[in-house]
């Protein structure tokens, strides 16, 4: 018996993986989305929490960046180009 799951992340393209239910360590990649020219190792991902304007709740923020660009910024102060995208759910609007 096995189950097939789809997996992706902020820096990982979609994969479909078969997992053996008798031995969860036995996994087979059935299908993996190929993105020409993309190298996952060039990117870093971090999830952090930031307080809302009134500090009543913490809001999850996902940060994705190229490792070399971040390193250059930290070492030399090179400005970072930023794309900010806001998303709300359950009737909230996008305000970014």
């Amino acid at each position: 018996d096995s189950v097939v799951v789809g997996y992706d992340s902020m820096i990982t393209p979609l994969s479909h993986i078969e997992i053996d239910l008798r031995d969860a360590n036995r996994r087979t990649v059935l299908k993996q989305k190929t993105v020409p020219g993309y190298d996952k190792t060039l990117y870093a991902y971090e999830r952090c929490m930031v307080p809302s304007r009134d500090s009543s709740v913490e809001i999850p923020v996902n940060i994705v960046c190229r490792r070399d660009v971040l390193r250059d910024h930290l070492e030399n102060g090179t400005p970072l180009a930023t794309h900010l995208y806001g998303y709300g759910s359950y009737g909230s609007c996008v305000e970014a």
Side-chain angles (χ1 to χ4, degrees):
D1 292 335
S2 64
V3 63
V4 175
V5 297
Y7 172 79
D8 66 349
S9 74
M10 297 295 284
I11 60 173
T12 304
L14 179 63
S15 294
H16 291 89
I17 303 166
E18 182 178 31
I19 301 172
D20 187 325
L21 295 176
R22 289 172 293 236
D23 180 2
N25 291 319
R26 287 188 52 189
R27 299 172 184 202
T28 305
V29 176
L30 301 176
K31 186 176 180 183
Q32 191 168 23
K33 183 174 184 172
T34 302
V35 180
Y38 176 72
D39 181 356
K40 176 183 172 178
T41 64
L42 297 177
Y43 296 87
Y45 163 74
E46 182 178 338
R47 184 175 190 136
C48 59
M49 303 297 281
V50 297
S52 61
R53 287 184 187 151
D54 64 2
S55 298
S56 63
V57 296
E58 289 201 325
I59 302 165
V61 175
N62 297 311
I63 300 170
V64 176
C65 63
R66 281 189 53 123
R67 294 176 188 274
D68 58 337
V69 172
L70 181 60
R71 185 178 325 109
D72 192 37
H73 169 71
L74 295 173
E75 291 175 1
N76 304 315
T78 305
L80 291 174
T82 303
H83 174 77
L84 178 63
Y85 174 78
Y87 168 77
S89 68
Y90 304 105
S92 296
C93 63
V94 173
E95 293 186 21

